[in-house]
């Protein structure tokens, strides 16, 4: 009853199931017709209202009567005509309480937030839609009450966790949902991995990104997340876990739950940013990234020497961590060209609004987010006509387009040298199902694989043609033989006295 139709009109003998519903209907009518009323009398048996402007005849009377086995409120008298002048200003409205404003904006606010999620936006909305001027405090209270009605309170949300876990497992067969409480039956951890994520993990790359982000509600906490990359190099969330903080106990419990998802897949690489960055890393950030991205140990040692020359003592900081944890050259498993946890940060950005919600509402928003993502990707795959994903197709097209301008020299029947403007490659052809032109390489892959080894990287900038002098060799300074001045000789002397 927060908003009534423009054609709705009260009449005598109208019945209402409660006094609260009757009063709510009257408040909605006053907001629609832009007038105010005052309460003359109100108790358990009768309620009398009249217009707030003096000498106005608008008034009504409702009384409580017994109808069968329940009580009803009946409108017994109603004078609907207003007799005040139209030039009476109505800047504020006493019936526009925060509960009435809450009913007006409740349908405009969703679970994950909307444009009316701030009091300032609510003030503008009420002014534009209903012509009412309300205070910031009233809009804030209305927004808080509306959000509590939609999302539930924080305390009740923790009490609903066992019921939420049961419904989630019932509607998503094969999901892993676990929670843990302490000895006093207080909340500790909650883990959620949907069946769609578990089944899709079997077709993703063997790299798992783990990260955590702080919750922004009243009781705080930390939301741990694990994700990977699918065949189209898109973010594929695996699991979410709500813990008290990032400590050894919470990480251990989260890792034990992740073992149930990983299953029998071996050679899994886990990328995490649990180690803190040192101050030396910030100074030599460019050199360090070049060191971690090298493909072989020879180049790694070269870059490591450059790193030590720029930041002495950094080797002693990196060796206890282990080169295999951050270097591509020493990694015992395939990292799929992944060196950072950037996709975890992107996932945290997608969960930005959900982190402010109560725990049950937050988990439901995350479930809805995964449902929308997986549905859209499934539809995209259904209309795909190629054997590769969209991202891989684009990469292959770029590589083929780039190979057209390469110059090819034969080494033997199965080995060729490809030269472009900046680099040289050695190409091994396990099968003969490739087509070549005489001077340029045009690859048409029919069967088999092509592997490329970089011989030398290109030189950045214009090639130097002048010999670089050694440190001990100094350039001879030219002096004028006539006056002994530096910077010119006798032929180029143009000094004027």
């Amino acid at each position: 009853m927060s908003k009534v139709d423009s054609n709705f009109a009260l009449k005598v003998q109208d019945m209402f199931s409660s006094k609260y519903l009757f009063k709510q209907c009257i408040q909605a009518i006053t907001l629609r017709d832009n007038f105010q009323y005052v309460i003359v009398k109100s108790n358990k048996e009768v309620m009398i209202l009249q217009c707030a402007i003096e000498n106005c005849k608008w008034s009504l009377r409702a009384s409580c009567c017994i109808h069968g086995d329940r009580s009803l409120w009946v409108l017994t008298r109603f004078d609907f005509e207003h007799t005040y002048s139209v030039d009476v200003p109505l800047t504020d409205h006493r019936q526009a309480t925060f509960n009435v404003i809450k009913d007006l904006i409740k349908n405009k606010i969703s679970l994950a937030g909307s444009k009316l999620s701030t009091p300032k936006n609510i003030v503008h909305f009420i002014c534009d839609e209903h012509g009412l001027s309300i205070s910031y405090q009233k809009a804030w209270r209305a927004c808080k009450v509306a959000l509590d009605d939609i999302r539930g309170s924080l305390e009740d949300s923790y009490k609903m966790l066992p019921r939420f876990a049961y419904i989630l497992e019932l509607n998503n067969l094969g999901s892993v949902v676990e929670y843990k409480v302490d000895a006093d039956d207080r909340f500790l951890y909650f883990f959620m991995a949907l069946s769609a994520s578990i089944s899709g993990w079997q077709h993703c790359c063997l790299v798992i990104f783990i990260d955590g982000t702080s919750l922004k509600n009243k009781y705080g906490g930390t939301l741990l997340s694990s994700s990977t990359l699918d065949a189209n190099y898109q973010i594929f969330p695996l699991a979410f876990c709500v813990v008290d903080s990032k400590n050894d106990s919470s990480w251990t419990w989260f890792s034990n739950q992740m073992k149930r998802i990983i299953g029998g897949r071996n050679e899994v690489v886990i990328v995490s940013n649990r180690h803190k960055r040192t101050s030396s890393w910030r100074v030599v950030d460019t050199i360090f990234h070049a060191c971690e991205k090298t493909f072989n140990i020879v180049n790694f040692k070269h870059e490591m020497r450059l790193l030590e020359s720029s930041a002495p003592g950094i080797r002693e900081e990196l060796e206890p961590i282990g080169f295999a944890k951050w270097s591509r050259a020493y990694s015992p498993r395939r990292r799929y060209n992944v060196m950072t946890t950037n996709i975890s940060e992107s996932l945290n950005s997608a969960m930005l609004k959900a982190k402010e919600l109560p725990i049950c509402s937050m988990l439901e928003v995350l479930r809805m987010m995964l449902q929308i993502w997986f549905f859209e990707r499934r539809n995209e795959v259904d209309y795909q006509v190629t054997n590769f994903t969209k991202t891989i197709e684009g990469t292959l097209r770029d590589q083929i387009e780039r190979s057209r301008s390469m110059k090819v020299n034969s080494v033997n029947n199965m080995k060729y040298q490809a030269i472009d403007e900046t680099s040289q490659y050695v190409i091994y052809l396990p099968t003969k199902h490739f087509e070549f032109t005489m001077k340029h390489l045009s690859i048409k892959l029919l069967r088999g694989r092509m592997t490329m080894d970089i011989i030398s990287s290109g030189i950045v900038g214009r090639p130097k043609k002048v010999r670089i002098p050694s440190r001990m060799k100094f350039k001879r300074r030219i002096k004028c033989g006539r006056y002994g001045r530096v910077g010119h000789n006798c032929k180029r002397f143009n000094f004027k006295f």
Side-chain angles (χ1 to χ4, degrees):
M1 299 297 296
S2 61
K3 188 175 182 180
V4 295
D5 188 77
S6 59
N7 298 324
F8 177 78
L10 284 174
K11 57 183 180 296
V12 181
Q13 300 301 321
D14 282 347
M15 296 183 181
F16 299 87
S17 60
S18 63
K19 182 180 179 180
Y20 174 78
L21 185 62
F22 170 73
K23 187 176 179 180
Q24 198 175 18
C25 179
I26 299 300
Q27 289 176 343
I29 292 177
T30 57
L31 294 179
R32 182 196 64 183
D33 299 339
N34 194 22
F35 72 95
Q36 304 178 65
Y37 68 84
V38 293
I39 300 176
V40 180
K41 184 178 181 180
S42 178
N43 52 36
K44 295 182 179 180
E45 298 179 354
V46 66
M47 187 174 186
I48 300 176
L49 308 176
Q50 70 178 19
C51 184
I53 301 177
E54 295 182 0
N55 301 324
C56 182
K57 295 183 178 180
W58 185 95
S59 63
L60 59 83
R61 183 181 187 277
S63 59
C64 180
C65 62
I66 305 300
H67 184 76
D69 56 348
R70 59 176 182 169
S71 59
L72 297 176
W73 283 79
V74 182
L75 185 63
T76 57
R77 180 177 58 84
F78 180 43
D79 295 332
F80 59 89
E81 184 178 0
H82 291 277
T83 58
Y84 63 85
S85 177
V86 295
D87 59 352
V88 177
L90 291 175
T91 58
D92 194 11
H93 208 294
R94 66 176 65 191
Q95 273 71 51
T97 62
F98 72 91
N99 282 322
V100 176
I101 302 300
K102 176 218 29 174
D103 294 332
L104 295 175
I105 66 175
K106 192 173 181 179
N107 296 330
K108 303 292 184 179
I109 299 178
S110 62
L111 188 62
S114 63
K115 295 181 179 179
L116 299 182
S117 57
T118 60
K120 185 177 180 180
N121 295 333
I122 295 176
V123 170
H124 293 308
F125 172 76
I126 296 298
C127 181
D128 296 338
E129 296 292 330
H130 304 279
L132 300 177
S133 176
I134 61 175
S135 62
Y136 184 91
Q137 183 181 7
K138 184 182 292 185
W140 180 85
R141 295 182 64 185
C143 180
K144 185 177 183 301
V145 175
L147 291 177
D148 289 342
D149 289 348
I150 296 174
R151 303 170 180 174
S153 63
L154 292 172
E155 294 78 7
D156 295 338
S157 184
Y158 282 99
K159 296 178 182 179
M160 292 174 57
L161 268 180
R163 191 184 310 171
F164 177 82
Y166 172 75
I167 297 298
L168 190 63
E169 283 187 299
L170 186 64
N171 295 332
N172 299 271
L173 298 179
S175 301
V176 177
V177 182
E178 292 290 340
Y179 62 92
K180 183 180 179 181
V181 295
D182 60 4
D184 298 329
D185 203 22
R186 293 179 298 184
F187 172 79
L188 283 180
Y189 312 130
F190 186 91
F191 181 87
M192 178 183 71
L194 300 179
S195 57
S197 299
I198 298 175
S199 60
W201 155 247
Q202 305 300 324
H203 308 281
C204 296
C205 64
L206 295 173
V207 179
I208 296 179
F209 304 86
I210 295 178
D211 196 13
T213 179
S214 300
L215 299 180
K216 304 301 181 182
N217 54 33
K218 177 181 178 181
Y219 296 101
T222 302
L223 177 63
L224 305 180
S225 62
S226 62
S227 56
T228 183
L229 294 173
D230 59 8
N232 199 31
Y233 286 91
Q234 293 177 303
I235 300 176
F236 192 87
L238 294 177
F240 300 97
C241 184
V242 181
V243 297
D244 52 353
S245 62
K246 294 181 181 180
N247 50 57
D248 293 341
S249 178
S250 61
W251 279 116
T252 302
W253 192 83
F254 176 69
S255 301
N256 291 334
Q257 302 301 322
M258 284 296 300
K259 290 181 182 179
R260 304 170 58 182
I261 301 176
I262 295 176
R265 300 191 74 183
N266 300 323
E267 304 296 328
V268 178
V269 177
I270 296 179
V271 182
S272 176
N273 60 348
R274 291 190 61 188
H275 294 286
K276 297 182 180 179
R277 289 173 61 100
T278 62
S279 58
S280 301
W281 289 17
R282 297 190 182 98
V283 176
V284 290
D285 190 58
T286 304
I287 305 177
F288 174 75
H289 283 299
C291 186
E292 71 177 1
K293 293 181 180 180
T294 54
F295 285 94
N296 52 63
I297 298 178
V298 176
N299 293 337
F300 174 83
K301 292 181 179 180
H302 172 70
E303 297 292 342
M304 196 66 187
R305 286 193 294 268
L306 295 178
L307 188 62
E308 287 183 289
S309 62
S310 301
I314 195 172
R315 178 183 286 270
E316 287 73 14
E317 298 182 18
L318 296 176
E319 283 183 345
I321 299 175
F323 294 154
K325 293 183 178 180
W326 56 271
S327 173
R328 180 186 292 165
Y330 282 90
S331 178
R333 299 185 177 95
R334 299 180 61 184
R335 297 180 66 112
Y336 290 87
N337 205 23
V338 175
M339 303 302 299
T340 62
T341 58
N342 289 340
I343 71 165
S344 296
E345 301 300 334
S346 300
L347 184 60
N348 292 339
S349 178
M351 302 183 299
L352 189 61
K353 293 183 179 180
K355 293 187 295 184
E356 303 176 0
L357 305 178
I359 182 170
C360 283
S361 300
M362 179 190 66
L363 295 173
E364 177 62 18
V365 169
L366 296 180
R367 187 202 62 80
M368 293 169 56
M369 181 184 70
L370 297 188
Q371 177 181 335
I372 295 174
W373 285 7
F374 293 162
F375 177 77
E376 292 176 352
R377 296 175 188 180
R378 190 180 297 110
N379 283 348
E380 185 177 352
V381 172
D382 290 340
Y383 290 99
Q384 184 174 316
V385 295
T386 59
N387 295 328
F388 301 101
T389 60
K390 185 177 180 181
T391 303
I392 301 300
E393 281 286 340
T395 304
L396 291 177
R397 292 180 186 275
D398 294 339
Q399 294 290 346
I400 294 174
E401 185 68 24
R402 179 186 173 189
S403 67
R404 292 179 180 176
S405 60
M406 288 184 178
K407 187 176 181 180
V408 180
N409 298 323
S410 300
V411 179
N412 53 38
N413 293 334
M414 303 297 295
K415 189 175 181 179
Y416 295 86
Q417 181 189 30
I419 304 173
D420 62 359
E421 296 179 355
T422 58
S423 304
Q424 300 181 24
Y425 305 93
V426 174
I427 305 176
Y428 300 91
L429 305 180
T431 60
K432 296 182 179 180
H433 294 277
F434 292 84
E435 297 178 1
F436 292 90
T437 59
M438 294 300 294
K439 295 184 179 181
H440 299 282
L441 176 65
S442 178
I443 304 176
K444 182 179 181 182
L445 182 59
L446 302 180
R447 189 173 71 247
R449 299 175 59 186
M450 181 184 68
T451 60
M452 290 180 128
D453 297 334
I454 298 180
I455 297 178
S456 62
S457 58
I459 301 175
V460 180
R462 183 177 296 177
K464 295 182 179 180
K465 299 181 180 180
V466 181
R467 181 180 178 182
I468 300 176
S470 62
R471 294 183 179 180
M472 303 302 298
K473 186 177 180 179
F474 298 95
K475 187 177 180 180
R476 186 171 61 89
R477 302 178 69 179
I478 302 175
K479 292 184 178 181
C480 179
R482 181 179 301 175
Y483 297 101
R485 296 179 180 272
V486 179
H488 64 272
N489 52 22
C490 295
K491 295 182 179 180
R492 294 191 292 114
F493 177 74
N494 57 359
F495 183 76
K496 296 181 181 180
F497 294 96

